Amino acid sequence: YMFLHSSSSFFHILFNMFALWMFGSTLENLWGPGRFLAFYLVCGLGAGITQALALTYDLSQYHAMYNAGQIGADQLYVLTNMPTLGASGAVMGIFAAFAYTFPNSQMIILPIPFPIKAKWALLGLAALDLFGGVYSSNSGIAHFAHLGGAAVGIIIVMIWNRKNRRHFY
């Protein structure tokens, strides 16, 4: 699923690839290509599993809405057969690893008119994803995949850095 993407937004795909290049190249230089690839794939798997778990709750809600007569059979079919596609969860894992490893790196994120540290940008994005995941389940964005990828990314970096806690930038 993480090597496919819906064609709903060209800019979303462009942003994912830009973030992968911007943060991923730094981590690949630090870890090496093999370790970076394994990290990326595991973050993608963790993101997919997290999204699948979140979707089980949504599916139960859709069936309850159908049984209550709030949605029709056509709507139920569409809602229960939407695929999860995209690399956003794995890219969020890479950004989380970057923010954990380089927490004080200054970033400019448009439209915010001032520099923000990577650690605060990660917390802000995670808060937006949590809010979006809880309050907008039909948005077409896999918010819980983003959160799952970020959580897996941070856990892996914590495990890799457990013996060298002073190695942050």
Short mmCIF file of all heavy atoms in Angstrom, two decimals, residues 50 54 92 122-137 141-148 150:
data_model
loop_
_atom_site.label_atom_id
_atom_site.label_comp_id
_atom_site.label_asym_id
_atom_site.label_seq_id
_atom_site.Cartn_x
_atom_site.Cartn_y
_atom_site.Cartn_z
N THR A 50 -1.55 0.40 12.16
CA THR A 50 -2.27 1.36 12.99
C THR A 50 -3.54 1.84 12.29
O THR A 50 -4.61 1.92 12.91
CB THR A 50 -1.38 2.57 13.33
OG1 THR A 50 -0.18 2.11 13.95
CG2 THR A 50 -2.09 3.53 14.26
N ALA A 54 -7.49 1.33 13.39
CA ALA A 54 -8.44 2.45 13.50
C ALA A 54 -9.64 2.23 12.59
O ALA A 54 -10.77 2.59 12.96
CB ALA A 54 -7.74 3.76 13.13
N MET A 92 6.03 10.20 7.71
CA MET A 92 5.86 10.78 9.05
C MET A 92 6.80 10.09 10.05
O MET A 92 7.33 10.74 10.95
CB MET A 92 4.41 10.65 9.51
CG MET A 92 4.11 11.38 10.78
SD MET A 92 4.17 13.15 10.60
CE MET A 92 3.32 13.63 12.08
N LEU A 122 6.92 18.53 15.01
CA LEU A 122 6.41 17.16 15.13
C LEU A 122 5.21 17.10 16.08
O LEU A 122 4.19 16.49 15.76
CB LEU A 122 7.50 16.20 15.61
CG LEU A 122 7.04 14.77 15.88
CD1 LEU A 122 6.55 14.11 14.60
CD2 LEU A 122 8.15 13.97 16.51
N LEU A 123 5.32 17.75 17.22
CA LEU A 123 4.20 17.75 18.17
C LEU A 123 2.97 18.43 17.56
O LEU A 123 1.85 17.96 17.76
CB LEU A 123 4.60 18.44 19.47
CG LEU A 123 5.55 17.65 20.36
CD1 LEU A 123 5.97 18.48 21.57
CD2 LEU A 123 4.90 16.36 20.81
N GLY A 124 3.18 19.52 16.82
CA GLY A 124 2.06 20.20 16.16
C GLY A 124 1.39 19.33 15.11
O GLY A 124 0.16 19.24 15.05
N LEU A 125 2.21 18.66 14.28
CA LEU A 125 1.65 17.78 13.26
C LEU A 125 0.93 16.59 13.89
O LEU A 125 -0.14 16.17 13.42
CB LEU A 125 2.75 17.28 12.31
CG LEU A 125 3.26 18.29 11.30
CD1 LEU A 125 4.46 17.71 10.56
CD2 LEU A 125 2.17 18.66 10.32
N ALA A 126 1.49 16.05 14.96
CA ALA A 126 0.84 14.93 15.64
C ALA A 126 -0.50 15.36 16.24
O ALA A 126 -1.49 14.63 16.16
CB ALA A 126 1.75 14.35 16.72
N ALA A 127 -0.54 16.56 16.81
CA ALA A 127 -1.80 17.06 17.37
C ALA A 127 -2.84 17.25 16.27
O ALA A 127 -4.01 16.90 16.44
CB ALA A 127 -1.56 18.37 18.12
N LEU A 128 -2.42 17.79 15.12
CA LEU A 128 -3.35 17.95 14.00
C LEU A 128 -3.86 16.60 13.51
O LEU A 128 -5.05 16.46 13.18
CB LEU A 128 -2.67 18.71 12.86
CG LEU A 128 -2.46 20.20 13.07
CD1 LEU A 128 -1.64 20.80 11.94
CD2 LEU A 128 -3.79 20.92 13.21
N ASP A 129 -2.98 15.61 13.43
CA ASP A 129 -3.40 14.29 13.00
C ASP A 129 -4.33 13.63 14.01
O ASP A 129 -5.29 12.97 13.63
CB ASP A 129 -2.20 13.38 12.74
CG ASP A 129 -1.67 13.53 11.33
OD1 ASP A 129 -2.49 13.73 10.40
OD2 ASP A 129 -0.45 13.45 11.15
N LEU A 130 -4.05 13.79 15.29
CA LEU A 130 -4.93 13.23 16.30
C LEU A 130 -6.32 13.87 16.22
O LEU A 130 -7.34 13.18 16.23
CB LEU A 130 -4.33 13.42 17.69
CG LEU A 130 -5.12 12.79 18.84
CD1 LEU A 130 -5.25 11.28 18.64
CD2 LEU A 130 -4.44 13.10 20.16
N PHE A 131 -6.35 15.18 16.11
CA PHE A 131 -7.62 15.89 15.98
C PHE A 131 -8.35 15.45 14.70
O PHE A 131 -9.54 15.15 14.73
CB PHE A 131 -7.39 17.41 15.96
CG PHE A 131 -8.65 18.20 15.85
CD1 PHE A 131 -9.42 18.45 16.97
CD2 PHE A 131 -9.06 18.70 14.62
CE1 PHE A 131 -10.59 19.19 16.87
CE2 PHE A 131 -10.23 19.43 14.51
CZ PHE A 131 -11.00 19.68 15.64
N GLY A 132 -7.63 15.40 13.60
CA GLY A 132 -8.23 14.97 12.33
C GLY A 132 -8.71 13.54 12.36
O GLY A 132 -9.75 13.21 11.79
N GLY A 133 -7.98 12.66 13.02
CA GLY A 133 -8.38 11.27 13.10
C GLY A 133 -9.61 11.04 13.95
O GLY A 133 -10.43 10.19 13.65
N VAL A 134 -9.74 11.84 14.99
CA VAL A 134 -10.88 11.67 15.89
C VAL A 134 -12.13 12.36 15.33
O VAL A 134 -13.23 11.81 15.41
CB VAL A 134 -10.55 12.22 17.30
CG1 VAL A 134 -11.78 12.28 18.18
CG2 VAL A 134 -9.47 11.37 17.95
N TYR A 135 -11.97 13.53 14.73
CA TYR A 135 -13.13 14.33 14.36
C TYR A 135 -13.48 14.35 12.87
O TYR A 135 -14.49 14.91 12.51
CB TYR A 135 -12.96 15.77 14.85
CG TYR A 135 -12.98 15.84 16.35
CD1 TYR A 135 -11.82 16.10 17.07
CD2 TYR A 135 -14.16 15.62 17.06
CE1 TYR A 135 -11.84 16.16 18.45
CE2 TYR A 135 -14.19 15.68 18.44
CZ TYR A 135 -13.02 15.94 19.12
OH TYR A 135 -13.05 15.98 20.49
N SER A 136 -12.65 13.79 12.01
CA SER A 136 -12.99 13.80 10.58
C SER A 136 -12.64 12.46 9.95
O SER A 136 -11.69 12.34 9.20
CB SER A 136 -12.28 14.94 9.85
OG SER A 136 -10.89 14.77 9.91
N SER A 137 -13.45 11.45 10.23
CA SER A 137 -13.14 10.09 9.78
C SER A 137 -13.35 9.89 8.29
O SER A 137 -12.82 8.97 7.72
CB SER A 137 -13.97 9.08 10.57
OG SER A 137 -15.35 9.29 10.32
N ILE A 141 -8.04 11.15 4.46
CA ILE A 141 -6.66 11.21 4.94
C ILE A 141 -6.51 10.18 6.06
O ILE A 141 -7.34 10.12 6.97
CB ILE A 141 -6.31 12.61 5.47
CG1 ILE A 141 -6.43 13.64 4.35
CG2 ILE A 141 -4.91 12.63 6.08
CD1 ILE A 141 -6.29 15.07 4.82
N ALA A 142 -5.47 9.39 5.98
CA ALA A 142 -5.24 8.33 6.97
C ALA A 142 -4.46 8.91 8.15
O ALA A 142 -3.26 8.68 8.31
CB ALA A 142 -4.49 7.17 6.33
N HIS A 143 -5.16 9.68 8.99
CA HIS A 143 -4.51 10.36 10.11
C HIS A 143 -3.84 9.38 11.07
O HIS A 143 -2.76 9.65 11.58
CB HIS A 143 -5.53 11.20 10.88
CG HIS A 143 -6.07 12.35 10.09
ND1 HIS A 143 -5.31 13.47 9.82
CD2 HIS A 143 -7.28 12.56 9.51
CE1 HIS A 143 -6.03 14.32 9.13
NE2 HIS A 143 -7.23 13.79 8.91
N PHE A 144 -4.50 8.24 11.33
CA PHE A 144 -3.91 7.29 12.26
C PHE A 144 -2.70 6.58 11.66
O PHE A 144 -1.82 6.13 12.39
CB PHE A 144 -4.96 6.31 12.77
CG PHE A 144 -5.91 6.96 13.73
CD1 PHE A 144 -7.20 7.25 13.36
CD2 PHE A 144 -5.49 7.31 15.00
CE1 PHE A 144 -8.08 7.87 14.25
CE2 PHE A 144 -6.35 7.93 15.90
CZ PHE A 144 -7.64 8.21 15.52
N ALA A 145 -2.62 6.51 10.34
CA ALA A 145 -1.40 5.99 9.71
C ALA A 145 -0.24 6.94 9.96
O ALA A 145 0.88 6.50 10.25
CB ALA A 145 -1.61 5.81 8.21
N HIS A 146 -0.49 8.24 9.90
CA HIS A 146 0.56 9.21 10.21
C HIS A 146 1.04 9.03 11.65
O HIS A 146 2.25 9.00 11.91
CB HIS A 146 0.03 10.64 10.05
CG HIS A 146 -0.37 11.00 8.65
ND1 HIS A 146 -1.10 12.11 8.37
CD2 HIS A 146 -0.15 10.39 7.47
CE1 HIS A 146 -1.31 12.20 7.08
NE2 HIS A 146 -0.74 11.15 6.50
N LEU A 147 0.08 8.92 12.57
CA LEU A 147 0.43 8.77 13.98
C LEU A 147 1.16 7.45 14.24
O LEU A 147 2.13 7.40 15.01
CB LEU A 147 -0.82 8.86 14.85
CG LEU A 147 -1.49 10.22 14.88
CD1 LEU A 147 -2.85 10.14 15.56
CD2 LEU A 147 -0.61 11.25 15.55
N GLY A 148 0.71 6.38 13.58
CA GLY A 148 1.38 5.08 13.74
C GLY A 148 2.79 5.09 13.19
O GLY A 148 3.71 4.56 13.82
N ALA A 150 4.74 7.73 12.92
CA ALA A 150 5.55 8.56 13.82
C ALA A 150 5.90 7.79 15.09
O ALA A 150 7.05 7.83 15.55
CB ALA A 150 4.79 9.85 14.17
#
